[in-house]
């Protein structure tokens, strides 16, 4: 690996971390540092929507806190298949996301989603950003 590859890999991993931290903390404006303005985001497999970033961002801000007041991602391996000189890379990040929610009886229950985030990362003037996100759900628990 040369220094550029190491730098790019670290920056891409940081984009994935910024994404999960923004979702988990409800810092919706932080998502502006994750996605390109024209990004395509697909949450259909987890019961969400598939639309542009401009539509998905306010939807996340409204829907996630209403159903899941607390969120906590754990990211596993982040696969960055490297192509020297590339300005676009297909990146996969394994995730586990347990969340407490109202159980309908005055208490809470833990629901959990595990899967793979498939990002199309592109190099922009502001650094690496996700131009496309597809959330592949591998398993669910409690839903």
């Amino acid at each position: 690996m040369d220094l550029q590859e190491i730098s790019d890999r670290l920056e891409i991993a940081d984009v994935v971390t910024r994404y999960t931290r923004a979702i988990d903390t409800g810092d919706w404006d932080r998502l502006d540092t994750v996605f390109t303005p024209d990004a395509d985001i697909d949450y259909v497999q987890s019961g969400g929507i598939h639309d542009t970033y401009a539509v998905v961002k306010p939807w996340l801000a409204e829907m996630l806190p209403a159903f899941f007041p607390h969120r906590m991602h754990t990211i596993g391996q982040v696969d960055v298949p490297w192509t020297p000189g590339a300005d676009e890379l297909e990146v996969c990040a394994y995730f586990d996301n347990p969340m407490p929610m109202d159980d309908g009886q005055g208490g809470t229950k833990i629901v959990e989603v595990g899967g793979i985030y498939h990002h199309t990362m592109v190099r922009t003037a502001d650094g690496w950003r996700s131009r496309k996100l597809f959330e592949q759900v591998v398993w669910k628990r409690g839903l």
Side-chain angles (χ1 to χ4, degrees):
M1 279 188 220
D2 64 13
L3 289 177
Q4 186 63 56
E5 180 180 350
I6 292 167
S7 174
D8 287 342
R9 286 177 178 274
L10 287 171
E11 187 177 345
I12 288 167
D14 189 53
V15 172
V16 173
T17 299
R18 285 197 314 268
Y19 168 72
T20 58
R21 291 291 299 148
I23 295 294
D24 292 350
T25 63
D27 185 357
W28 311 114
D29 288 336
R30 191 174 188 185
L31 292 172
D32 296 344
T33 71
V34 172
F35 294 105
T36 62
D38 64 340
D40 177 80
I41 303 172
D42 183 348
Y43 291 126
V44 170
Q45 286 192 5
S46 62
I49 65 173
H50 178 186
D51 214 318
T52 63
Y53 175 59
V55 173
V56 170
K57 180 182 173 183
W59 177 84
L60 286 168
E62 179 184 351
M63 298 306 291
L64 280 183
F67 287 97
F68 308 107
H70 304 286
R71 298 161 303 277
M72 188 182 82
H73 279 84
T74 300
I75 295 294
Q77 62 217 43
V78 178
D79 182 29
V80 183
W82 189 254
T83 303
D87 290 328
E88 181 176 309
L89 297 168
E90 299 300 323
V91 175
C92 297
Y94 286 54
F95 73 89
D96 176 33
N97 188 15
M99 301 166 284
M101 70 179 292
D102 186 339
D103 68 0
Q105 300 173 2
T108 60
K109 67 177 182 175
I110 301 296
V111 298
E112 196 169 9
V113 178
I116 305 169
Y117 290 126
H118 298 270
H119 287 276
T120 300
M121 295 286 186
V122 294
R123 188 187 311 271
T124 73
D126 296 320
W128 286 94
R129 297 291 186 266
S130 178
R131 186 174 64 209
K132 183 175 184 177
L133 169 60
F134 168 65
E135 180 185 56
Q136 176 189 0
V137 173
V138 177
W139 55 269
K140 296 179 189 179
R141 182 180 305 154
L143 288 172

